[in-house]
């Protein structure tokens, strides 16, 4: 039954207050007139404390991620779309088809309801585009000064089809390393938004759901994709070091083959950042047999999110698990794990 309230939620000038997380009428109205309105689907309309889901045959993949990005709105996205993309991508990196999302919101007292609605609308659009409805969730409110506007935690579930075995420990010497597109866009866009920096060319975050790209790759070569990883926090360097460590191998990449937009490269030089360590939110690394690399590369380039994909290196035998880069000058350097964090609150 549709609830009636004495007045509509003030989404133009109203603000979040503690009653919106108190479990009473104000919280019910916030859920009805904001969350259910924009996330609307059969599961949410049941208004249960859980969602009862039907799952196709296969192995269940599940991932959860907290999003604390600052600022909440940035060139090319916002915390809402990012919360969907980040978790959809983590599930998809197993080769799974992401099916459902759950979302938890920590709201700070005083957050403008207009900002919250903008975030929820963006999140709903991202979920619809990715084909992953938000089927259950939770809302809490903390006192003014105890949060930072809004934090969002999303959990995603998906199904890995039979015949697909993608995992971080499967990289082998002789395999090729593929990258789906230019690195560094997200981190530089966040820094520009955070510091109000102006560049000659506007740099946008690459935040995007990669499940469509992964599905195309899996359909073309289900047995030839050994590892997938999205290079988010810590960037490409961290993703490669993670895979090298998990598989007990080394990596040798070629600096001249790594795609990076000239404006991002220039911005990194101005800001003193190494683009190898700058976060991405719409890119993936793929490890596959060398014999399958060109075929997978062609499939990636046919998809809008992989049109600038490149083969950037190879997996090598190395008991130390080092990632090395052949530089543009012909030498080599170690691409180590990052020390500290170049850009905190990046996702």
């Amino acid at each position: 039954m549709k609830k009636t309230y004495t007045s509509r939620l003030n989404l133009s000038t109203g603000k979040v207050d503690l009653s919106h997380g108190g479990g009473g009428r104000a919280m019910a109205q916030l859920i009805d007139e904001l969350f259910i309105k924009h996330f609307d689907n059969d599961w949410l309309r049941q208004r249960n404390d859980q969602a009862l889901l039907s799952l196709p045959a296969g192995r269940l993949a599940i991932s959860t991620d907290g999003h604390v990005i600052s600022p909440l709105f940035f060139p090319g996205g916002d915390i809402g779309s990012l919360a969907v993309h980040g978790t959809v991508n983590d599930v998809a990196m197993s080769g799974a088809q992401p099916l459902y999302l759950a979302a938890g919101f920590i709201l700070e007292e005083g957050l403008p309801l207009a900002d919250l609605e903008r975030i929820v609308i963006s999140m709903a659009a991202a979920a619809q585009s990715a084909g992953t409805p938000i089927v259950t969730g939770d809302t809490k409110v903390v006192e003014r000064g105890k949060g930072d506007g809004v934090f969002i935690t999303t959990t995603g579930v998906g199904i890995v089809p039979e015949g697909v075995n993608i995992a971080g420990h499967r990289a082998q010497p002789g395999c090729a390393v593929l990258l789906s597109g230019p690195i560094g866009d997200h981190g530089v866009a966040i820094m520009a938004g955070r510091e109000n920096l102006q560049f000659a060319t506007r740099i946008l975050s690459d935040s995007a759901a990669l499940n469509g790209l992964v599905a195309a790759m899996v359909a073309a070569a289900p047995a030839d994709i050994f590892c997938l990883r999205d290079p988010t926090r810590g960037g490409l360097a961290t993703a490669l070091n993670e895979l090298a460590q998990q598989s007990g191998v080394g990596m040798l990449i070629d600096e001249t083959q790594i795609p990076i937009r000239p404006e991002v490269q220039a911005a990194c030089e101005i800001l003193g950042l190494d683009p190898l360590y700058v976060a991405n939110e719409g890119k993936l690394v793929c490890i596959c047999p060398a014999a399958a690399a060109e075929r997978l590369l062609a499939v990636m380039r046919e998809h809008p999110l992989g049109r600038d994909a490149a083969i950037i290196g190879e997996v090598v035998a190395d008991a130390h698990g080092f990632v090395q880069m052949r530089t543009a000058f012909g030498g080599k350097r170690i691409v180590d794990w990052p020390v500290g964090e170049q850009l905190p609150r990046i996702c």
Side-chain angles (χ1 to χ4, degrees):
M1 179 184 296
K2 182 176 177 61
K3 295 183 175 65
T4 58
Y5 304 98
T6 56
S7 61
R8 301 282 295 177
L9 198 65
N10 184 353
L11 294 173
S12 57
T13 61
K15 297 183 183 297
V16 170
D17 62 45
L18 292 176
S19 69
H20 288 125
R25 187 180 297 273
M27 181 172 175
Q29 185 175 18
L30 182 72
I31 292 171
D32 283 342
E33 296 184 9
L34 190 64
F35 293 111
I36 289 183
K37 174 184 176 182
H38 295 294
F39 294 159
D40 185 43
N41 55 61
D42 291 341
W43 298 278
L44 283 179
R45 275 186 243 118
Q46 294 172 11
R47 299 174 185 274
N48 293 321
D49 287 339
Q50 73 295 119
L52 300 177
L53 308 173
S54 298
L55 298 174
R59 290 166 293 152
L60 184 68
I62 182 168
S63 181
T64 193
D65 201 357
H67 304 273
V68 298
I69 193 167
S70 175
L72 299 177
F73 305 96
F74 49 85
D78 56 66
I79 192 172
S81 58
L82 181 69
V84 171
H85 295 156
T87 296
V88 164
N89 292 348
D90 285 344
V91 171
M93 291 306 106
S94 67
Q97 175 191 2
L99 296 175
Y100 306 106
L101 291 170
F105 293 80
I106 305 296
L107 308 177
E108 184 184 14
E109 180 186 18
L111 174 71
L113 287 173
D115 285 353
L116 180 58
E117 183 181 40
R118 181 179 167 190
I119 289 166
V120 169
I121 290 172
S122 174
M123 198 170 179
Q128 182 178 28
S129 179
T132 52
I134 298 167
V135 297
T136 189
D138 184 51
T139 304
K140 296 291 191 297
V141 179
V142 297
E143 298 90 339
R144 191 185 304 268
K146 298 295 180 66
D148 196 5
V150 56
F151 299 146
I152 303 175
T153 296
T154 43
T155 298
V157 295
I159 292 294
V160 181
E162 294 299 326
V164 175
N165 183 18
I166 300 171
H169 69 274
R170 295 196 64 212
Q172 301 172 17
C175 283
V177 181
L178 282 65
L179 177 64
S180 65
I183 61 172
D185 294 10
H186 178 71
V188 172
I190 297 303
M191 179 60 76
R194 185 179 299 171
E195 303 298 334
N196 198 27
L197 301 176
Q198 301 293 325
F199 299 109
T201 302
R202 190 164 185 246
I203 298 171
L204 303 179
S205 169
D206 64 343
S207 182
L210 295 168
N211 53 320
L213 173 60
V214 172
M217 295 168 65
V218 168
D224 288 330
I225 304 172
F226 290 177
C227 311
L228 291 174
R229 188 65 50 93
D230 54 336
T232 54
R233 282 175 297 175
L236 178 63
T238 295
L240 294 177
N241 274 283
E242 288 173 348
L243 293 172
Q245 183 183 68
Q246 284 181 262
S247 294
V249 296
M251 304 273 183
L252 178 60
I253 58 175
D254 188 335
E255 183 177 24
T256 64
Q257 299 305 309
I258 299 172
I260 179 169
R261 302 184 200 281
E263 58 269 30
V264 172
Q265 181 70 60
C268 286
E269 291 174 1
I270 292 170
L271 297 169
L273 302 174
D274 185 338
L276 291 176
Y277 295 90
V278 176
N280 312 272
E281 287 293 346
K283 301 296 183 296
L284 63 82
V285 173
C286 172
I287 308 293
C288 69
E294 291 292 344
R295 180 158 53 99
L296 270 171
L297 183 66
V299 171
M300 295 168 73
R301 287 178 172 174
E302 288 177 357
H303 192 279
L305 296 179
R307 61 177 177 267
D308 296 317
I311 300 172
I312 64 167
E314 62 180 324
V315 180
V316 297
D318 186 344
H320 301 289
F322 288 148
V323 176
Q324 300 183 69
M325 183 169 71
R326 187 181 295 111
T327 70
F329 299 104
K332 288 183 182 178
R333 73 174 178 93
I334 298 293
V335 179
D336 207 349
W337 293 87
V339 178
E341 190 167 12
Q342 287 193 120
L343 297 173
R345 303 285 300 279
I346 204 74
C347 60

